[in-house]
Amino acid sequence: MGTNADDETLKILASIRINKSIDDFQSCYLAQQRESGYSERVLRDVLSLIFDISRRAVPDSVKLALVRLCLSPSVNVPIHVLLSILANLGPTQNCVHGAKHVASKKVPMTLQAEILKQIVKYIEYSASTIREYASIIFPILAKLMSFEYLRLHVSSLIKICFQSSTLTKFNSCRNKQTTGALHSATEWEYRWIRALHIQFPMDQNLRKLVEEFGAVSCANWSSSSFLKSKCGLPLFFLNGDTKRRKTHHVSSNGIQIQPRSHLSTSEFMKVEEATMKNELAISLCTDKLNIKDIDECLRITSFRDLNSFHHSLVNVLWQFRRLDNESFCMNSIDDFVLNKRDDTEWSLTFRERVNFIHLVKASVDKLQFMITNDGEKIEKCYYLHPTLYSHLSEKYLTEVLVLLDVESQANPQILNRIVPLLLGFTKFAPQARSTVARKILLLYRKFRAMAIVPNPSLTLPRAVVYFMLLHGDLNLLDAVCFHIAEEKKLHFKDDRLRRVQNSFTMDLVNMIWRERFFSFDVRRDSPHKALFLNPSLISKLYNSSFITIGLGEIGGILMGPAFAFIATKNLRRLEDEHNLDIRIEGPLTEENVTSMQADDRTQWLPLSRELIKLEILKVLDSRNYKGVCDMMFKSLKSLSDARDKWS
């Protein structure tokens, strides 16, 4: 288009601006010039006329006519013109600043939609610019997709930009050549389209585009282009499908007041990304998306800002795993949690990795390596921030136990390989040891309860049994006694497991009832293994001068820490029932009991020490400590009929 034609067109536009109307002659002239297209100079003047929202602006009907008549470029549209158009698209609602009602600075949605239609219609003049400045324009288009009225037009624009065959058809029909040849989509562009489709799964244009790209081999895509734009910029703009709006406070009279401080850009992006994760969770629950779609999206967006990973999506993924653990697989999460890192990177990501452990699906060897490696890293950092790493270690243990709960259903042997590592990991969270031991025991009991045929190849690790035995908590002791007493019904085919199980039973009975704690027999087949401690250590303990009572009586039902309160309370009850004035001071050893009963002045309880223990066992049974009682009644012939006499 020549200069004279430009001048004539600009005169007509000036007349339209002044008269705020367009006549038939002007419309006819502009329609004729549309066939040959308009220069950048004319386009800028048309856009200023269209986007003018002042009191002197032309009516919307005139603007609509100008859009249809004049947005027909004759040259490639430069980037600043495209940005000018996109910057004027968006929400049209009014807002309030202080006590003032401020009108929207955007033209009506109908006009915005028509502008996008014209860009799509003459896409051959914009496509090369869009692709060249993709890192700038694509984030804006992703934002505009959040407006439902514009969504179809924006997705059409995106679709045509990536369809080189369509552009070739346009060019051949118009017999024109574009200055910039379109290149094939890079890996990050493909992933961007996939992620956008996940956010807007009902959009047909995006769906077709994803299907077309899915048929193209991605073998030539280099890994270095992942999350990178053509200009080398990171793909950081997929952070939600809601348009950013200013926040307002509401005063008592209902007027919105502009707050003094606003969310920073980084904080706002976290909120938007959390919103996106929440909507992904909803889409997953409503069958609009599948696990692979979510995995693809998370590979692009989630691990950029891990603090914004919304808990709702984690919860939904966990529920999917519980329902179908066999087919559940999230490679993006597996890579993030399992990959080995140097000390600096590990300390920066450990807090976030903990949140995803229960979603990991990996082999036993990889899990063992992960726990061992994390333990070594924590040991280096623990004393710098003991409170922080103690809390994180406790959460870490909880997440691994949740993971074992689902993984052990298909592979029970994973328990025997992972559980000892977890108990060693509790040195960083000593306050969680009893809880971890209890949960481990529940996993074994759950497996045994769910097994159709009892599996005698899986038994509690020695570390767990002896920890619960020596902890001093009666509830833990009762739980492990109950479990081992129930396992007496099983017939272990493995001779090693059978001997270990017999040793557990013997250690419990010797400690609680027989007062032969740390009883050891050198014979190989003997069940007296003294907690599998080194024999030289046992001899040193027996010869130690620090122990004021017999070593064998430690842990017994009369003097053990787990039984001390109940034993003392019931001993006083027996003394009250016999109206005794002189009470035994303790400890309740065989020598002290014999001495009190032999003294005629005291006339102490006419009960032997064995009967006193039986009275305490009766109290434990009445208080529902069934584990300790079952272990004693099933293991000792002298007590085989004692429970029947009580009932």
Side-chain angles (χ1 to χ4, degrees):
M1 187 173 180
T3 305
N4 293 333
D6 284 353
D7 292 340
E8 186 65 28
T9 303
L10 292 174
K11 290 179 182 179
I12 293 176
L13 293 176
S15 175
I16 293 173
R17 188 189 299 271
I18 295 172
N19 298 322
K20 298 183 181 180
S21 63
I22 182 171
D23 55 34
D24 294 339
F25 173 77
Q26 292 170 335
S27 298
C28 183
Y29 180 84
L30 294 176
Q32 290 177 355
Q33 298 300 323
R34 179 179 56 189
E35 298 301 324
S36 57
Y38 293 99
S39 66
E40 178 188 341
R41 178 185 172 193
V42 174
L43 290 176
R44 288 203 305 267
D45 198 67
V46 171
L47 292 175
S48 66
L49 192 60
I50 292 172
F51 292 125
D52 184 11
I53 57 172
S54 65
R55 289 180 297 176
R56 291 177 290 183
V58 299
D60 291 339
S61 58
V62 177
K63 292 181 179 180
L64 188 60
L66 290 175
V67 169
R68 293 170 177 172
L69 293 171
C70 299
L71 286 188
S72 171
S74 61
V75 294
N76 280 348
V77 179
I79 181 61
H80 62 271
V81 174
L82 271 178
L83 292 178
S84 174
I85 295 174
L86 297 177
N88 284 279
L89 304 181
T92 59
Q93 73 269 23
N94 297 335
C95 57
V96 176
H97 288 282
K100 292 184 178 180
H101 288 263
V102 181
S104 172
K105 296 182 180 180
K106 307 294 183 182
V107 295
M109 279 292 181
T110 305
L111 195 56
Q112 294 185 34
E114 190 64 32
I115 292 172
L116 289 173
K117 283 183 182 179
Q118 293 300 311
I119 295 177
V120 172
K121 183 177 181 180
Y122 299 97
I123 187 62
E124 69 270 24
Y125 297 105
S126 305
S128 59
T129 303
I130 293 174
R131 295 294 296 274
E132 183 178 358
Y133 296 94
S135 61
I136 300 174
I137 294 178
F138 281 176
I140 301 175
L141 295 180
K143 289 288 187 181
L144 293 176
M145 283 288 293
S146 63
F147 302 111
E148 187 173 358
Y149 198 84
L150 302 178
R151 186 173 301 158
L152 180 62
H153 307 292
V154 176
S155 63
S156 298
L157 177 60
I158 295 172
K159 176 185 175 185
I160 295 177
C161 283
F162 283 96
Q163 288 180 327
S164 57
S165 59
T166 305
L167 293 176
T168 304
K169 180 179 178 181
F170 271 128
N171 293 336
S172 60
C173 292
R174 297 179 182 275
N175 196 23
K176 295 181 181 291
Q177 295 293 329
T178 57
T179 57
L182 292 179
H183 53 79
S184 59
T186 59
E187 182 182 4
W188 77 265
E189 290 171 335
Y190 169 70
R191 293 185 182 279
W192 178 77
I193 294 170
R194 285 275 297 165
L196 200 61
H197 174 55
I198 289 173
Q199 295 179 67
F200 306 102
M202 304 305 293
D203 188 88
Q204 297 300 317
N205 291 317
L206 294 178
R207 182 182 60 80
K208 292 178 181 178
L209 197 56
V210 169
E211 290 175 354
E212 291 179 9
F213 276 125
V216 179
S217 173
C218 301
N220 295 326
W221 285 340
S222 63
S223 59
S224 61
S225 66
F226 179 62
L227 293 183
K228 293 286 184 178
S229 69
K230 181 182 176 183
C231 303
L233 298 175
L235 182 62
F236 61 89
F237 46 83
L238 273 180
N239 50 23
D241 58 357
T242 56
K243 182 65 178 175
R244 178 177 179 178
R245 295 182 176 89
K246 294 182 179 180
T247 57
H248 304 281
H249 295 298
V250 180
S251 64
S252 58
N253 57 4
I255 299 177
Q256 291 182 332
I257 302 174
Q258 185 76 3
R260 294 183 179 180
S261 61
H262 302 282
L263 287 175
S264 65
T265 303
S266 60
E267 290 173 340
F268 189 85
M269 291 180 68
K270 290 179 182 179
V271 173
E272 284 200 327
E273 183 160 325
T275 303
M276 186 194 74
K277 303 301 189 308
N278 192 25
E279 294 190 358
L280 287 179
I282 296 173
S283 299
L284 185 60
C285 291
T286 54
D287 293 331
K288 293 180 180 178
L289 299 175
N290 55 41
I291 292 294
K292 291 183 179 180
D293 292 330
I294 298 293
D295 189 24
E296 188 70 24
C297 182
L298 299 188
R299 186 176 294 278
I300 301 173
T301 61
S302 290
F303 305 113
R304 168 171 43 79
D305 187 357
L306 296 164
N307 289 327
S308 66
F309 196 99
H310 204 268
H311 64 87
S312 60
L313 182 56
V314 177
N315 293 338
V316 169
L317 290 174
W318 169 241
Q319 297 303 327
F320 267 75
R321 176 166 196 171
R322 290 183 60 192
L323 293 173
D324 189 8
N325 180 56
E326 185 175 351
S327 62
F328 181 88
C329 182
M330 296 290 290
N331 292 324
S332 57
I333 294 178
D334 293 345
D335 294 342
F336 174 68
V337 175
L338 296 174
N339 284 348
K340 186 177 181 181
R341 294 169 171 81
D342 56 32
D343 292 349
T344 303
E345 187 181 3
W346 179 91
S347 62
L348 294 175
T349 60
F350 179 67
R351 181 181 301 186
E352 287 76 22
R353 286 175 54 237
V354 170
N355 298 321
F356 303 102
I357 289 177
H358 65 291
L359 297 177
V360 168
K361 192 166 188 179
S363 64
V364 181
D365 293 333
K366 288 184 177 180
L367 289 177
Q368 280 185 309
F369 175 79
M370 179 192 75
I371 297 172
T372 304
N373 182 63
D374 287 336
E376 294 173 354
K377 300 292 186 183
I378 291 180
E379 198 159 10
K380 297 178 182 178
C381 307
Y382 183 82
Y383 295 104
L384 298 176
H385 305 284
T387 304
L388 171 64
Y389 282 105
S390 178
H391 170 72
L392 291 177
S393 298
E394 183 176 357
K395 189 175 182 181
Y396 185 96
L397 291 165
T398 302
E399 293 292 313
V400 175
L401 287 170
V402 171
L403 173 64
L404 292 180
D405 189 13
V406 293
E407 286 295 322
S408 61
Q409 298 177 20
N411 181 20
Q413 297 300 328
I414 191 176
L415 294 175
N416 285 342
R417 296 182 60 180
I418 300 298
V419 162
L421 296 177
L422 296 184
L423 209 59
F425 206 93
T426 57
K427 66 182 179 180
F428 305 116
Q431 73 280 3
R433 281 176 180 159
S434 58
T435 303
V436 170
R438 194 188 307 275
K439 289 182 177 180
I440 290 172
L441 179 61
L442 289 176
L443 287 178
Y444 279 86
R445 292 179 62 177
K446 179 181 178 181
F447 167 74
R448 192 173 63 192
M450 293 177 62
I452 299 176
V453 178
N455 187 351
S457 64
L458 193 66
T459 186
L460 273 175
R462 289 185 298 181
V464 178
V465 174
Y466 293 138
F467 170 79
M468 301 179 79
L469 179 68
L470 301 174
H471 185 269
D473 186 335
L474 182 56
N475 292 304
L476 288 179
L477 179 60
D478 184 72
V480 72
C481 285
F482 182 83
H483 181 82
I484 295 175
E486 287 294 310
E487 286 193 340
K488 292 174 70 68
K489 302 175 183 178
L490 303 178
H491 300 285
F492 290 91
K493 298 179 181 179
D494 189 332
D495 186 59
R496 183 186 64 83
L497 291 178
R498 180 182 56 80
R499 292 200 305 269
V500 169
Q501 194 68 15
N502 290 339
S503 297
F504 289 161
T505 302
M506 192 60 64
D507 286 328
L508 288 167
V509 172
N510 284 342
M511 184 188 80
I512 296 173
W513 194 263
R514 289 177 175 170
E515 298 176 352
R516 296 176 60 188
F517 194 37
F518 290 135
S519 175
F520 179 77
D521 193 331
V522 295
R523 291 177 299 177
R524 181 176 180 274
D525 294 334
S526 174
H528 298 268
K529 296 300 181 184
L531 280 63
F532 290 88
L533 295 175
N534 192 311
S536 61
L537 176 62
I538 302 299
S539 61
K540 290 180 181 179
L541 289 174
Y542 271 103
N543 297 327
S544 174
S545 59
F546 295 100
I547 301 177
T548 57
I549 61 175
L551 184 64
E553 297 177 348
I554 295 176
I557 196 170
L558 293 179
M559 293 185 293
F563 303 101
F565 177 76
I566 292 179
T568 303
K569 186 176 181 179
N570 284 277
L571 181 62
R572 300 309 179 203
R573 178 183 60 81
L574 291 173
E575 290 176 332
D576 290 340
E577 289 177 356
H578 288 77
N579 297 319
L580 299 180
D581 295 329
I582 300 177
R583 311 294 180 97
I584 190 170
E585 295 181 359
L588 203 63
T589 60
E590 185 69 36
E591 293 78 7
N592 288 340
V593 171
T594 303
S595 175
M596 289 288 290
Q597 290 177 340
D599 191 344
D600 295 334
R601 295 173 300 175
T602 59
Q603 296 182 352
W604 199 66
L605 290 176
L607 299 174
S608 66
R609 198 162 178 267
E610 292 297 314
L611 290 176
I612 294 175
K613 290 196 293 185
L614 194 59
E615 285 291 329
I616 296 173
L617 195 63
K618 180 179 179 180
V619 172
L620 291 174
D621 197 28
S622 65
R623 295 188 180 183
N624 210 34
Y625 288 102
K626 300 297 183 183
V628 174
C629 298
D630 287 351
M631 174 60 69
M632 299 301 108
F633 293 138
K634 292 180 180 180
S635 304
L636 297 169
K637 291 183 179 179
S638 59
L639 301 179
S640 58
D641 58 346
R643 183 177 276 176
D644 296 333
K645 293 180 180 179
W646 295 340
S647 58

